[in-house]
Amino acid sequence: MIRSIALIFVPLLTGAAAPAPDPAYDIVIRGGRVLDGAGNPWVAADVAIADGRIVRVGVVDGAGKQEIDARGRYVSPGFIDMLDQSGRVLLRDGSAASKLRMGVTTLIAGEGGTAVPAGEIAGYFSKLEQQGIAVNFGTYYGAIQARVKVMGDAAGAPNEDQLRAMEGEVRTAMKAGVFGISSALIYSPASFQSTADLARLAAIPGKCGGFYATHMRDESDKLLAAIDEAVTIGERSGAKVEIFHIKAAYAPLWGKLMPQAIARVEAARARGLDIGANIYPYRAGGTGLDVTVPTHVFAKGREAAYAAVRDPAVRKQLKKELAAGPQADWSNLVHASGGWQNVVLANAHNDRYRQFHGKNFAEIGKALGKDPADAAWDIWLAALPARAGALYFLMDDADIDLAMKQPWVSIGTDAAVSDSTADPARAGRPHPRANGTFPRIIADYVRERGVLTLPDAIRKMTGWPAQRLGLADRGLLRQGMRADVVIFDLATIRDRATYEEPTAVPEGIGDVIVNGVVAVAGGQVTGSRSGNVLRHPCPNA
């Protein structure tokens, strides 16, 4: 009896150890304050990840191949950028470093359309997957893409055959997996599309839970009419409506337009329209200098417009239109900003004018001995075929705060990912939203000013947009969901990008996980390519 007991304990007496069990999980995030993305208060919990999904939230006993200490930090779903501009850049550079550093794990692009024609979208998606992208990516297809293919870039109403051809393009795009159609009606030739034509095209995504997503016809003095048009298109077509970067971009009516705009959206929602909006947290918008030219100039196409604006006699008339303020068919952003002193050159795409980056056009005009309009139009034409860009200081902080509080508003950067293949000397002064938007929401709107609670801010950036998009397995930190995760320090998170230093990297975001793979570790981008192309199902388009 004694001998047999001794034999049982021989391994222990000789110092041999039992083999360590294999790790139970790929990643375990330990001891963080977990925000689930649905707007609930944080809970203290571990998060276990395996095979790209969250398998446990709570006390996790098993080990992970990777262990992340999140004590004292917050753990949330990865952020969703509802207005991304990366469709072309990702073909050249899939690293998405600037978005990852902001905690963004999913991009929804396509305000101006897809990077390729409708018939090439399926192949485009496959190419992104084959090359590898660091974030998840989905897109809309531009209604203007269908129009230009069928009838060019001039003004005019399409006939029935042309409309049917446009519908064919939209069907092809929807079958490839886009989330719906988009419009950017402030720009020509999109501005030539009618409400009825857009409603007809939007009916195709409307059959399968898709979107009509719109940069509306006007965001200034005619904002309310523009919202009414978007609502009409949604109600006629059956499509969900997403308003891009909602704003009251008209200095004379700051404090008045935004409450009325919100009431319009609320009334539509009360009637049963699935309508929402996204926003960026900055006073300035950013777009091309071409918007300083009245829409009618582009009626015969862009090449004809370029020739017209080179004519001094035409310019004389255009300056009168600029000075006259609002017009029925054109958003006069110079007037809406309060004058050329509030329009700042961001990128001239021309070495001759690079010295004026960051200067307003009152200053530029004075330096060149020109009317500010002449300076702007000379820079615009000199940049072709590139698009000279400017910052337009259009918004009021109180209006932004009010819009931000609305439960149906999500967050979008209106910016592309950084492009490592581009010449940094050609970058100009891009909008700081490209590098600061999401950290700015938490640092300024939550921590510093209390405009939003932290759980609601996270909901706006995660659970709410995922629910809108129909991404049933993303946007929440719950068992079975895709493991898109961001870990940040509430005390130190902040945006460092400014109008003067727009590419400064944010602080306070330590770790980012995309589909169960660490994409940012200790604030450093790892070079992973674990992103997925997101396709909206529409087999019966």
Side-chain angles (χ1 to χ4, degrees):
M1 185 73 172
I2 294 174
R3 181 179 298 175
S4 63
I5 293 174
L7 289 172
I8 291 171
F9 284 93
V10 163
L12 297 178
L13 295 173
T14 58
D22 292 334
Y25 309 104
D26 295 327
I27 301 171
V28 177
I29 303 167
R30 299 284 183 187
R33 299 174 180 181
V34 175
L35 292 153
D36 67 356
N40 294 310
W42 65 268
V43 296
D46 305 327
V47 178
I49 296 168
D51 298 323
R53 292 187 181 270
I54 296 166
V55 293
R56 183 167 178 78
V57 178
V59 176
V60 175
D61 293 326
K65 296 175 185 175
Q66 290 179 273
E67 296 263 337
I68 299 174
D69 184 354
R71 287 175 295 178
R73 295 189 291 165
Y74 288 82
V75 182
S76 89
F79 304 149
I80 299 174
D81 186 345
M82 286 290 277
L83 178 48
D84 171 72
Q85 301 284 6
S86 303
R88 289 174 175 80
V89 179
L90 287 176
L91 283 171
R92 301 188 298 269
D93 179 3
S95 67
S98 57
K99 295 291 175 82
L100 286 171
R101 292 189 186 105
M102 288 193 287
V104 175
T105 59
T106 296
L107 316 178
I108 305 298
E111 177 195 26
T114 52
V116 298
E120 299 175 23
I121 292 173
Y124 162 70
F125 284 164
S126 296
K127 186 173 182 180
L128 288 177
E129 291 174 325
Q130 291 164 5
Q131 292 180 177
I133 51 177
V135 290
N136 305 307
F137 176 79
T139 185
Y140 304 107
Y141 171 72
I144 190 56
Q145 292 177 273
R147 178 185 166 102
V148 168
K149 179 174 181 179
V150 172
M151 57 184 295
D153 66 352
N159 59 37
E160 181 61 24
D161 288 343
Q162 289 171 324
L163 275 170
R164 287 177 180 171
M166 292 179 203
E167 288 176 320
E169 294 297 305
V170 173
R171 288 192 183 95
T172 297
M174 291 303 302
K175 288 179 180 178
V178 301
F179 280 79
I181 64 167
S182 63
S183 68
L185 302 179
I186 196 172
Y187 306 112
S188 66
S191 56
F192 304 136
Q193 292 180 293
S194 72
T195 304
D197 293 348
L198 290 166
R200 183 160 167 176
L201 297 180
I204 296 168
K207 294 176 182 177
C208 58
F211 282 83
Y212 170 68
T214 180
H215 180 153
M216 296 182 296
R217 205 172 293 275
D218 194 280
E219 299 170 321
S220 301
D221 63 296
K222 297 177 285 297
L223 171 63
L224 302 182
I227 292 175
D228 289 344
E229 179 184 36
V231 168
T232 296
I233 292 168
E235 291 180 334
R236 288 185 186 177
S237 67
K240 299 178 182 180
V241 176
E242 178 75 4
I243 296 173
F244 288 132
H245 48 51
I246 190 169
K247 59 174 72 81
Y250 189 59
L253 291 178
W254 284 347
K256 298 178 181 179
L257 271 179
M258 184 58 79
Q260 295 176 72
I262 290 168
R264 287 288 213 283
V265 174
E266 292 282 8
R269 289 186 62 82
R271 293 196 301 272
L273 179 63
D274 189 346
I275 181 173
N278 55 68
I279 195 170
Y280 51 75
Y282 296 90
R283 288 187 56 244
T287 191
L289 284 173
D290 51 339
V291 301
T292 66
V293 176
T295 302
H296 67 78
V297 177
F298 296 91
K300 295 181 180 180
R302 298 194 76 81
E303 290 299 328
Y306 303 151
V309 179
R310 290 186 174 97
D311 185 336
V314 173
R315 286 194 178 196
K316 184 176 181 180
Q317 176 58 35
L318 297 183
K319 290 173 192 175
K320 291 179 181 178
E321 295 183 49
L322 272 174
Q327 296 182 24
D329 61 348
W330 172 50
S331 288
N332 186 341
L333 295 191
V334 178
H335 180 267
S337 299
W340 284 110
Q341 71 276 12
N342 295 319
V343 181
V344 173
L345 180 62
N347 197 337
H349 291 288
N350 186 292
D351 290 342
R352 177 183 175 190
Y353 297 111
R354 186 185 301 179
Q355 62 183 307
F356 298 119
H357 289 169
K359 303 292 186 182
N360 70 62
F361 277 92
E363 297 170 320
I364 297 170
K366 184 177 180 180
L368 294 173
K370 298 178 179 180
D371 184 289
D374 286 316
W377 297 335
D378 288 347
I379 291 172
W380 166 49
L381 293 170
L384 297 173
R387 189 181 185 215
L391 303 177
Y392 298 76
F393 286 81
L394 293 155
M395 282 81 79
D396 177 64
D397 285 327
D399 285 338
I400 298 171
D401 289 355
L402 182 61
M404 190 76 71
K405 292 177 182 178
Q406 305 312 307
W408 36 265
V409 170
S410 58
I411 309 301
T413 62
D414 196 10
V417 297
S418 54
D419 183 357
S420 65
T421 70
D423 180 358
R426 301 289 180 183
R429 292 275 189 92
H431 199 299
R433 63 195 179 193
N435 292 281
T437 292
F438 285 84
R440 182 176 178 83
I441 296 293
I442 298 173
D444 184 34
Y445 288 76
V446 174
R447 187 184 66 218
E448 301 300 328
R449 296 193 295 119
V451 175
L452 302 172
T453 66
L454 181 58
D456 194 40
I458 297 301
R459 183 192 68 85
K460 286 176 173 293
M461 298 191 287
T462 60
W464 166 240
Q467 183 179 4
R468 283 224 83 203
L469 293 163
L471 302 177
D473 59 353
R474 297 185 191 274
L476 299 174
L477 288 187
R478 292 179 182 167
Q479 184 174 336
M481 304 295 282
R482 297 277 185 177
D484 297 336
V485 185
V486 59
I487 305 171
F488 63 89
D489 186 334
L490 181 59
T492 62
I493 190 171
R494 70 181 182 109
D495 55 308
R496 296 177 58 246
T498 64
Y499 295 109
E500 293 75 28
E501 297 290 340
T503 60
V505 175
E507 296 177 349
I509 294 177
D511 303 275
V512 180
I513 297 167
V514 180
N515 294 312
V517 177
V518 176
V520 176
Q524 301 300 310
V525 177
T526 66
S528 63
R529 295 291 188 275
S530 60
N532 294 153
V533 171
L534 306 177
R535 294 172 176 85
H536 178 83
C538 196
N540 299 318

